[in-house]
Amino acid sequence: MTYLLLLGGLALLIVGGDLLVRGAVRIAERMGLSPMLIGLTIVGMGTSMPELAASVQAALAGSPGIALGNIVGSNIANSLLILGVAAAVSPFVVPRGVLWRDGGMGALAALALLVAGHVAGLSRPVGLALVLAMIGYVLLAYRQEKAATVHGAVYDKAAAFEGVDPAVGAVPDRSGHPAVAAVQFIAGLGLIIGGGSLLVDAAITIASDLGVGDDVIGLTVVAVGTSLPELVTSAIAAFKRQGEIALGNVLGSNIYNILFIGGVTGMVAPTKIPAGILGFDLPLLLGIALLVMVFAYTGGRLRRSEGAALVAGYAAYTSITAGLV
């Protein structure tokens, strides 16, 4: 029964996130915001709402292992599992300028969280600093995208979602009654809150039943579950041979997870970073971020063999985390 509640919570988070993004996009279009600004802000942040809901509610429930495990584990899953699957489906060339800017930003975000964990934990000042960094990064991306010939990760994250759900595409759609958009937004928000509560409660129960730390469940089950939308959108982009969008989706999600989700979590429910995550998983995440950059830099592309290596690496990581090896 607990596992059904876990799956139900994940389903509510995913469906709620889609509804919230649809409603928010329609509201923003009626307010006259540009499609690019909508994509960089509302779509980009809206698609991260499942992870945000899970981490905030876990922190409020006194389960920092799930809260931080979800953030760190999602980024590890993004960089190894999701990017590996995308490269295995269709190898792709990587624009080095984008890689250094966005991949480098993801690595710096992981380093900042690692340093903060040793100094102050995920406190309110740290959370505020992360959110301000996110705002600054999005503003920089917006300025660069207006004149860009090669798009960055924040743009590609929105483009990947739009490739799955054309209803939030770049063409403004002001048809329909405004109340419909408001209902979509409110319903999506409600489903996200309800789904996050179910997911966290079930995850805590499962950790207790299995006799493992909640950080193990957060790093594996919760992280993979909340990363499913990224897996779907990146895989579809890869099938369409839009590898740069698949890569940008992963890099953009990694940046949002730490700066936006980590920042808001710290501001709403300050918490310490569990010692296990601080001592192993966060340094590993930083190493993986640098490894992906090396893979892409050597030859300027991610090959199938490298994608398979990333997936194998994720299998090994989950085995170690779950105590299977």
Side-chain angles (χ1 to χ4, degrees):
M1 182 62 181
T2 304
Y3 290 93
L4 289 177
L5 291 176
L6 181 77
L7 292 174
L10 285 172
L12 289 178
L13 283 174
I14 294 171
V15 173
D18 183 67
L19 280 175
L20 183 140
V21 172
R22 283 175 176 243
V25 166
R26 293 294 170 261
I27 292 170
E29 287 171 346
R30 286 187 168 276
M31 293 173 61
L33 298 183
S34 72
M36 182 181 294
L37 184 59
I38 291 171
L40 295 181
T41 56
I42 294 171
V43 176
M45 293 182 183
T47 52
S48 296
M49 288 302 291
E51 289 99 329
L52 177 63
S55 288
V56 168
Q57 294 197 45
L60 289 172
S63 296
I66 293 177
L68 272 299
N70 178 41
I71 293 170
V72 176
S74 290
N75 278 21
I76 292 175
N78 284 344
S79 300
L80 294 181
L81 176 63
I82 297 175
L83 191 58
V85 168
V89 169
S90 178
F92 50 87
V93 175
V94 179
R96 291 184 179 178
V98 172
L99 180 69
W100 284 113
R101 184 188 72 184
D102 300 313
M105 186 64 187
L108 285 175
L111 178 62
L113 189 59
L114 179 62
V115 171
H118 284 288
V119 175
L122 196 56
S123 61
R124 282 196 172 92
V126 169
L128 177 61
L130 292 177
V131 170
L132 291 176
M134 182 75 245
I135 293 172
Y137 178 73
V138 170
L139 290 176
L140 175 63
Y142 178 66
R143 290 182 58 186
Q144 292 180 339
E145 289 295 341
K146 291 200 305 184
T149 56
V150 177
H151 295 302
V154 180
Y155 179 96
D156 287 335
K157 177 174 168 59
F161 186 77
E162 291 164 5
V164 176
D165 188 352
V168 295
V171 179
D173 179 7
R174 298 183 177 87
S175 62
H177 198 281
V180 174
V183 169
Q184 285 181 321
F185 180 85
I186 294 171
L189 185 61
L191 290 176
I192 286 174
I193 293 173
S197 179
L198 278 177
L199 177 69
V200 170
D201 289 346
I204 292 173
T205 301
I206 291 172
S208 177
D209 291 344
L210 295 177
V212 299
D214 59 1
D215 55 332
V216 173
I217 301 300
L219 287 162
T220 55
V221 177
V222 176
V224 173
T226 56
S227 295
L228 285 177
E230 277 77 20
L231 177 59
V232 172
T233 53
S234 290
I236 290 176
F239 274 116
K240 293 180 178 179
R241 299 193 178 279
Q242 297 174 327
E244 71 284 355
I245 290 181
L247 174 65
N249 182 41
V250 166
L251 296 179
S253 294
N254 287 351
I255 294 168
Y256 275 95
N257 283 346
I258 294 180
L259 298 184
F260 175 53
I261 298 170
V264 173
T265 300
M267 292 174 65
V268 174
T271 185
K272 289 187 176 296
I273 300 177
I277 293 176
L278 192 59
F280 176 71
D281 302 282
L282 257 175
L284 177 65
L285 173 60
L286 180 58
I288 290 169
L290 296 175
L291 177 63
V292 169
M293 294 175 68
V294 170
F295 267 5
Y297 186 78
T298 53
R301 62 186 291 114
L302 275 174
R303 302 177 178 85
R304 282 196 173 91
S305 59
E306 292 169 334
L310 292 176
V311 174
Y314 186 72
Y317 166 75
T318 53
S319 297
I320 293 171
T321 301
L324 300 177
V325 297

